[in-house]
Amino acid sequence: MSSSDPTVQPVPASVVEQVDAADVTLSNPKRAVISLGSNLGNRLETLQGAIDALEDTPGLRVKAVSPVYETDPWGVDPGTQATYFNAVVLIKTTLPPSSLLERGHAIEEAFERVRDERWGPRTIDVDIVAYQDVVSDDPRLTLPHPRAHERAFVLVPWNDVDPQAEVPGRGTVAGLLATVGQEGVRVRVDLELRLPE
């Protein structure tokens, strides 16, 4: 079709900008890894609710959900807290890391997460473990998560959903897991998290 065709009207610049902006939100999604943990209330229901809330986020799709693992609380005396249910979720998103962090905090607030003590019990913990290959020491959101490479409760379920995965700047998940070991991370074959429809 030639540009001299009188039936072809020029598209206003504002419309072109809107289409381009919309296209950016749909194309070129980034891979991210989210770690979930809960040791208060109905832990399985809370994990599923967090996964569903992630899926309901515009510009975000949940691509894989790990099995459920039961783990002992980190950094506290044995027996002082209930065990955790942990899982890892792989997502594709067009949200930048800062927006993904805000969404994670909003989900935690929706499930009444309380942040009054370090390593305290929590209804839900939503952590961004990795975002593409981004390495950042921003104090608000350090990427990859500064302790993910040494935590079996993150590495074990992550390895389940992506055996080829790498922790940016740290090495393969499988290699790190071989170093850290799987002690205290027990798979719960009787429990299952659903991938959102």
Side-chain angles (χ1 to χ4, degrees):
M1 193 183 284
S2 118
S3 58
S4 61
D5 184 336
T7 62
V8 177
Q9 296 297 313
V11 178
S14 61
V15 173
V16 172
E17 283 173 23
Q18 286 176 342
V19 169
D20 286 349
D23 189 49
V24 167
T25 64
L26 296 172
S27 65
N28 194 23
K30 306 288 190 267
R31 291 173 293 104
V33 180
I34 308 278
S35 170
L36 302 173
S38 173
N39 79 332
L40 285 177
N42 186 327
R43 297 166 293 172
L44 185 69
E45 197 174 278
T46 300
L47 290 182
Q48 187 65 57
I51 291 166
D52 294 343
L54 285 167
E55 177 68 19
D56 288 342
T57 305
L60 190 157
R61 286 287 159 267
V62 175
K63 305 308 279 183
V65 178
S66 77
V68 178
Y69 284 86
E70 189 168 10
T71 62
D72 297 321
W74 182 270
V76 298
D77 292 330
T80 58
Q81 285 184 30
T83 57
Y84 274 85
F85 283 177
N86 293 97
V88 161
V89 180
L90 300 186
I91 65 168
K92 287 203 169 173
T93 185
T94 53
L95 298 175
S98 58
S99 298
L100 193 56
L101 179 67
E102 285 170 16
R103 182 60 177 153
H105 287 166
I107 292 169
E108 289 179 344
E109 282 173 28
F111 285 96
E112 299 175 357
R113 156 82 190 265
V114 177
R115 293 175 182 274
D116 56 2
E117 63 177 295
R118 188 169 191 201
W119 295 321
R122 63 228 23 204
T123 50
I124 188 71
D125 203 4
V126 180
D127 281 332
I128 303 170
V129 178
Y131 183 97
Q132 275 306 98
D133 301 319
V134 173
V135 176
S136 164
D137 58 5
D138 181 331
R140 207 167 152 262
L141 176 59
T142 305
L143 290 169
H145 189 287
R147 291 171 298 283
H149 66 283
E150 56 194 30
R151 289 183 168 172
F153 66 82
V154 172
L155 296 172
V156 172
W158 188 359
N159 191 58
D160 279 343
V161 287
D162 189 358
Q164 310 304 315
E166 291 197 23
V167 181
R170 296 286 186 180
T172 65
V173 169
L176 292 164
L177 192 50
T179 303
V180 170
Q182 300 189 27
E183 189 178 341
V185 181
R186 305 169 292 278
V187 68
R188 288 292 303 265
V189 292
D190 56 321
L191 303 176
E192 189 177 8
L193 293 166
R194 298 179 318 277
L195 194 61
E197 296 294 327

